Amino acid sequence: MRIWPQHFNLYFALTLALALVCGCESPKKEKEKQVSAVRIHIEASADDPDTSQSISVFRADPLTLKIDKEPAFTEANLVTAKVIDTQDGFAIELNFDESSSMILEQDTTRNLGKHFAIFGQWGEKLVDGRWLAAPMITRRIYDGTMTFTPDMSRDEADEFILGLTNVVKKIQKGQLK
């Protein structure tokens, strides 16, 4: 049996060239494609079906809330978002821009004892999402930083924050509105 090494090498070279040209994207490119959205609602004052809706937050021990349909804040109001380590695991920290920080301060002062309801979506395409948290407003937030423990795994939180960071950067560059 005869083997022609030059044919094998040619086949190998063509396969390698094709893999390099059409190969999978770099991890950095894939990370840049990640997007996330966050919608922060405030617990409704009135039971008006035109302006409020009923939701269920937390998968293990659901909490039902009536919230304002329109979000008070979105990813467009953020400057940064990050996962932080805590004694009990991790939390998500959202930092708002200057004008949103003032609104956050007013909203937390006016709504002490109520809840925020935080909805998140993440992934390459924003298909699915869920209610992540319902922290109670126990104090005035004057520094523009909201921290909450989400109903998600650490991997999901990292993916969520990566997407939020990408979206915030695009908004700040004027590439998204």
Side-chain angles (χ1 to χ4, degrees), residues 94-105:
L94 304 177
N95 295 295
F96 293 88
D97 61 34
E98 190 175 340
S99 62
S100 300
S101 293
M102 288 188 283
I103 295 168
L104 180 64
E105 183 175 7

Side-chain angles (χ1 to χ4, degrees), residues 51-69:
T51 61
S52 66
Q53 70 184 53
S54 188
I55 63 159
S56 181
V57 185
F58 305 119
R59 294 172 292 173
D61 188 16
L63 170 67
T64 302
L65 292 173
K66 284 223 180 269
I67 61 165
D68 291 331
K69 281 184 179 178

Side-chain angles (χ1 to χ4, degrees), residues 1-172:
M1 181 172 171
R2 275 183 122 169
I3 298 176
W4 296 97
Q6 62 268 32
H7 292 289
F8 175 75
N9 288 341
L10 180 61
Y11 174 75
F12 178 72
L14 287 173
T15 305
L16 181 61
L18 186 61
L20 289 174
V21 171
C22 301
C24 59
E25 294 183 46
S26 71
K28 184 178 179 183
K29 282 267 190 210
E30 282 192 26
K31 285 183 176 185
E32 289 173 357
K33 285 185 177 180
Q34 291 287 354
V35 292
S36 295
V38 65
R39 301 290 178 263
I40 303 170
H41 299 258
I42 298 175
E43 189 173 357
S45 299
D47 191 14
D48 180 0
D50 292 334
T51 61
S52 66
Q53 70 184 53
S54 188
I55 63 159
S56 181
V57 185
F58 305 119
R59 294 172 292 173
D61 188 16
L63 170 67
T64 302
L65 292 173
K66 284 223 180 269
I67 61 165
D68 291 331
K69 281 184 179 178
E70 289 299 314
F73 305 98
T74 70
E75 63 280 351
N77 304 110
L78 297 178
V79 175
T80 61
K82 60 185 171 182
V83 177
I84 58 172
D85 292 317
T86 65
Q87 283 183 323
D88 300 328
F90 67 94
I92 290 180
E93 182 180 279
L94 304 177
N95 295 295
F96 293 88
D97 61 34
E98 190 175 340
S99 62
S100 300
S101 293
M102 288 188 283
I103 295 168
L104 180 64
E105 183 175 7
Q106 293 169 0
D107 285 349
T108 54
T109 301
R110 198 174 32 246
N111 294 293
L112 286 172
K114 292 184 181 180
H115 291 87
F116 282 115
I118 303 169
F119 183 82
Q121 293 175 289
W122 60 94
E124 215 173 287
K125 295 185 173 137
L126 299 178
V127 178
D128 297 320
R130 67 174 180 261
W131 293 101
L132 302 176
M136 183 177 280
I137 302 168
T138 58
R139 63 178 180 82
R140 175 177 64 100
I141 300 176
Y142 60 89
D143 63 355
T145 300
M146 178 187 290
T147 305
F148 63 93
T149 303
D151 182 15
M152 62 190 342
S153 70
R154 177 64 186 247
D155 288 340
E156 288 175 322
D158 289 336
E159 189 177 334
F160 177 61
I161 293 302
L162 173 64
L164 277 181
T165 301
N166 290 341
V167 169
V168 167
K169 284 179 186 175
K170 287 179 182 178
I171 290 170
Q172 289 170 348

